[in-house]
Each structure stands twice: as structure tokens, then as C-alpha cells.
Amino acid sequence: RFPPTDIGAPPASGTYATRGMIICPASMKTCAAIAHGYSDNLITRAADVTLKEGRRLVVVPRETPFSVIHLRNLLALAEAGATVLPAMPGFYHKPKSVEDLVDFLVMKIFDALGLPHEFPHAWRPARGAGEDLE
């Protein structure tokens, strides 16, 4: 809706109320920029404002493997209040398709932002599970 160069767009202002922000996929360049306060485009500026306002920021890094530099930048994001959510699917729900894997990731992102959903593979403990942990 807004061009990346439009740093004056509404999402770049703290007065533009949002529930939070999702960056998916997030390049390591974008992660590094946000981690170090380098707001050179609308995405990095909006993420900076999201953190500044204490709103939820979910970052889904896209590159693997992570170098030490990547890990330090991701740690800086987490320390600043972002949720770092690599696109690593769980397999306990026994996915049968790529769509199942994508749905799992989207479910995790929705959970991290506190968005309601009704994904069919949301984990729910079996009846009686965990009773031996008390």
C-alpha cells in the first residue's frame, strides 16, 4: 500500500495504532538494520516505532544457516522486545503436505502476535497429559 521509501507513511508514526508488526520473511539486512536502529526505509522505520511503542514485533528470518553475526543481530532484536521466529516447522502434528507446514508457521506467527485463529493443527494436550508432572 505504501512504497518502501515513504518513511512518512502512517505506519512509521507511533500515533498510528497497531496491534503489532510481522516481518515475514525478514532478510538479515533488515534484521541488522532494525537491531541497530538504522531506519532507512518504511519497514525498518515501522519496526523501530513498533518496538519504541512497546508493541509486538515478530521477525521471521529467512536465511540459514545463521552466522555468529546473524545470531548477534537476532539476539539484539530479542533483547529489544521482538519475537524472533525462524521458519522452523514442527513435525509432531505429522504434516502431510507443504501446505500443512506453511499453516503451522502461520499459526505460530499468529500466536506470537496474539491473533485468534482456528488452524486445524494447533497443539492441544491429550486428556490426562502432564498429570504425572505434578
Side-chain angles (χ1 to χ4, degrees), residues 59-105:
V59 177
V60 184
R62 71 176 185 202
E63 283 97 357
T64 60
F66 297 136
S67 73
V68 170
I69 294 168
H70 298 157
L71 292 168
R72 286 184 179 138
N73 286 332
L74 295 173
L75 176 60
L77 287 173
E79 289 173 339
T83 297
V84 177
L85 201 156
M88 298 173 9
F91 290 92
Y92 52 81
H93 66 284
K94 298 185 171 82
K96 295 183 179 25
S97 67
V98 171
E99 184 178 349
D100 289 345
L101 295 172
V102 171
D103 284 351
F104 179 87
L105 177 62

Side-chain angles (χ1 to χ4, degrees), residues 19-23 55-60 81-86 104-117 119:
R19 178 178 269 178
M21 181 176 178
I22 300 165
I23 304 174
R55 298 177 185 143
R56 294 179 182 177
L57 174 63
V58 179
V59 177
V60 184
T83 297
V84 177
L85 201 156
F104 179 87
L105 177 62
V106 172
M107 175 193 68
K108 297 297 270 184
I109 293 169
F110 276 32
D111 285 347
L113 200 59
L115 297 173
H117 63 77
F119 285 97

Side-chain angles (χ1 to χ4, degrees), residues 13-16 18 45-56:
S13 171
T15 59
Y16 184 75
T18 65
R45 172 66 185 154
D48 184 42
V49 167
T50 298
L51 290 172
K52 173 181 76 78
E53 295 296 326
R55 298 177 185 143
R56 294 179 182 177

